Amino acid sequence: MSDVPPSHPRYVSLKTREKVVEGVEKGITGLNGLIAQGRGEALDYLIGERTTPPAQEAERAAAAMLLLAERPVLSVNGNAAALVPEEMVNLARRIGAPLEVNIFYRTEDRVKKIADLLRSLGAEKVYGEDPDAVIPGLDHARAKAARGGIFDADVVFVPLEDGDRCEALVRMGKRVITVDLNPLSRTARTSTVTIVDNVVRALPSLISLVDEMAGQEVGELRSILEGYDNRSVLCQAVAEMISHLSDQFSALDG
Ligand code: PTJ
């Protein structure tokens, strides 16, 4: 970590950025991951770098969906591995789900490094190194998946996903939960539940909610999902950005 002091107003954002840089240096995160993080930073700035009420609502629905799932799988790419590896392992343990390394810019070396990292943090089951199935409708490298993992999952938690792959998973009949700071992305619009929040804030919240809701009756969890409307949550997320920008504009305009 460079010598940015904790008192710096952009400390958290800069620290998060450095984790992605470190991920690239370790061969865990792809170079494109830096660009994705930059885009995320800009959008996070627009939303006020905070977890908004619609993000909280989506996190609650995501927790209910994960708790109700029969075969949940958590998908990990290079950015999630750099930013929230412990949290992904933690969440997997809490809901009894396997993890699968599923990366967009696939190299076998990076898949192995991410899988090793997750195992070093205590992950019990990590798929992805020996994919034995193909997601229909995607080109060869992007289509790779594992039986017992994403290929057979009923619910896939896939932070920072590509739009094409998200659509392909939904076409397979899976319910998809994503974390994406862009409420207008194809992934955000296609997913069953979209958490418009920074992954570094969303994962700790999701873990707390899973703990809090684990004792709830199945009927109560189902009614949370029945009352959930992802489109409306996305509209509210855009409204949160507009309102934050409008406040900033008023402050600037004096
Ligand atoms: O490791 P790989 O090869 O699987 O590659 C991973 C990336 C993320 C590089 C790849 O999937 C990619 O190119 O993704 P995109 O298409 O750039 O989409 C990433 C989305 O995540 C964008 O909408 C970003 O705004 C958003 N995003 C970036 N950083 C964060 C984020 N959302 C939440 N938290 C972040 N920290």
Side-chain angles (χ1 to χ4, degrees), residues 215-226:
Q216 286 187 12
E217 302 287 333
V218 167
E220 279 179 78
L221 296 174
R222 283 203 182 124
S223 73
I224 292 172
L225 287 185
E226 278 156 20

Side-chain angles (χ1 to χ4, degrees), residues 16 20 28-41 43-44 76-80 83 102-106 110 114 159-163 165 179-182 185 187 195 197-200:
T16 305
V20 181
I28 284 168
T29 310
L31 267 181
N32 292 283
L34 293 172
I35 298 168
Q37 174 63 20
R39 189 139 61 111
E41 275 183 21
L43 288 156
D44 205 8
V76 184
N77 67 15
N79 285 52
L83 292 175
N102 192 272
I103 62 180
F104 188 71
Y105 301 101
R106 189 177 176 100
R110 202 149 65 83
I114 297 172
L160 282 74
E161 178 58 313
D162 160 73
R165 288 207 314 197
V179 182
D180 191 334
L181 276 160
N182 184 359
S185 74
T187 300
I195 302 167
D197 201 0
N198 196 314
V199 79
V200 299

Side-chain angles (χ1 to χ4, degrees), residues 240-253:
E240 288 285 343
M241 283 184 174
I242 293 169
S243 142
H244 178 69
L245 274 181
S246 165
D247 291 348
Q248 296 294 307
F249 179 75
S250 302
L252 195 65
D253 207 26

